[in-house]
Amino acid sequence: MFSLPNLAYAYDALEPTMSAKTLHFHHDKHHAAYVKALNDLLGVAPKHITSLEDVIRQSALGGADAAKLFNNAAQVWNHAFFWQSMTPVAADPGPELQTAIQSSFGDLAQMREAFIKEGVNHFGSGWVWLVASGGRLSVVSTHDAHDIITERALSPLIACDLWEHAYYLDYQNDRKAYLGAWFDTLLNWAFASSQLAAASGNGVAWRFDTPTESAKAA
Ligand code: MN
């Protein structure tokens, strides 16, 4: 079974940008529900399953029952990646990432503008991502549960949740204010830098924890 990952920070560590109340609902209710639904769909101790990434890729291929499995598996992955994409510890982009930002966007301010614009203009629920492809960065968004690892030959560096549950308690309908504050105060540049290094062959990209073979918890 797959486990709900613990946050690497306290629930109130991202305040005031993201309230403890939002994080409790988002992690303890929304993300937990996706994990439970995923494990229920997969059944008890499926020994043939070795990674969440494989579940996502295989269910993305389609089939009558695949959509529900894909949606829950991808949302489990996306949220875990989203927790990694945030930190209360301020840092700057590493040198390699700074160079890539300059060559791809001009400068950090233009990357910020592109990221926020993509998120604001995204219709409905989904995710906005900073991605790398061959050292070139871009900003893309995906709908609902859709992710990066199945859809495109891109490496995700960070993701921000555009579902209303991610920001409505703190910002109501003001997605732009949420995205701006998120980018300015929470974006985990150290994580983005390590993801970019991994995409260039230096180190290992983040992966979801492998499943355990234990029977389902009560
Ligand atoms: Mn969410």
Side-chain angles (χ1 to χ4, degrees):
M1 62 181 291
F2 291 98
S3 300
L4 176 67
N6 294 319
L7 299 174
Y9 31 78
Y11 284 95
D12 62 0
L14 306 183
E15 291 188 338
T17 303
M18 187 174 289
S19 67
K21 188 175 183 182
T22 286
L23 210 45
H24 269 294
F25 273 106
H26 204 170
H27 178 269
D28 305 353
K29 304 294 184 186
H30 289 278
H31 197 187
Y34 291 126
V35 173
K36 182 180 186 306
L38 171 64
N39 285 320
D40 287 348
L41 288 165
L42 292 172
V44 177
K47 288 186 170 55
H48 60 289
I49 293 172
T50 56
S51 75
L52 182 58
E53 289 79 6
D54 286 345
V55 173
I56 293 168
R57 291 193 183 98
Q58 286 168 21
S59 60
L61 297 175
D65 302 320
K68 194 171 181 184
L69 178 59
F70 172 82
N71 285 336
N72 283 284
Q75 283 295 76
V76 169
W77 196 97
N78 291 346
H79 280 89
F81 192 83
F82 175 54
W83 310 138
Q84 297 289 329
S85 298
M86 299 187 288
T87 179
V89 182
D92 292 325
E96 184 189 5
L97 182 52
Q98 285 189 28
T99 301
I101 288 170
Q102 286 162 8
S103 64
S104 304
F105 296 98
D107 58 23
L108 182 59
Q110 291 180 77
M111 187 201 117
R112 178 186 187 277
E113 188 181 337
F115 190 86
I116 293 170
K117 186 178 177 187
E118 181 73 24
V120 168
N121 289 340
H122 181 86
F123 188 82
S125 296
W127 300 84
V128 58
W129 309 77
L130 177 66
V131 300
S133 179
R136 182 112 188 129
L137 306 185
S138 57
V139 168
V140 299
S141 57
T142 59
H143 280 283
D144 299 327
H146 283 270
D147 59 5
I148 294 299
I149 59 176
T150 48
E151 298 254 325
R152 302 175 173 92
L154 299 172
S155 301
L157 305 190
I158 51 162
C160 184
D161 194 336
L162 299 176
W163 289 58
E164 287 184 347
H165 64 232
Y167 61 89
Y168 222 83
L169 290 174
D170 297 327
Y171 299 88
Q172 289 76 55
N173 60 323
D174 197 348
R175 185 186 283 184
K176 186 175 185 181
Y178 158 65
L179 284 165
W182 190 91
F183 191 99
D184 293 338
T185 65
L186 298 185
L187 203 163
N188 189 347
W189 290 110
F191 180 69
S193 300
S194 76
Q195 285 290 104
L196 179 62
S200 315
N202 300 310
V204 180
W206 180 88
R207 295 192 63 167
F208 196 88
D209 285 347
T210 52
T212 61
E213 290 190 10
S214 60
K216 278 199 280 189

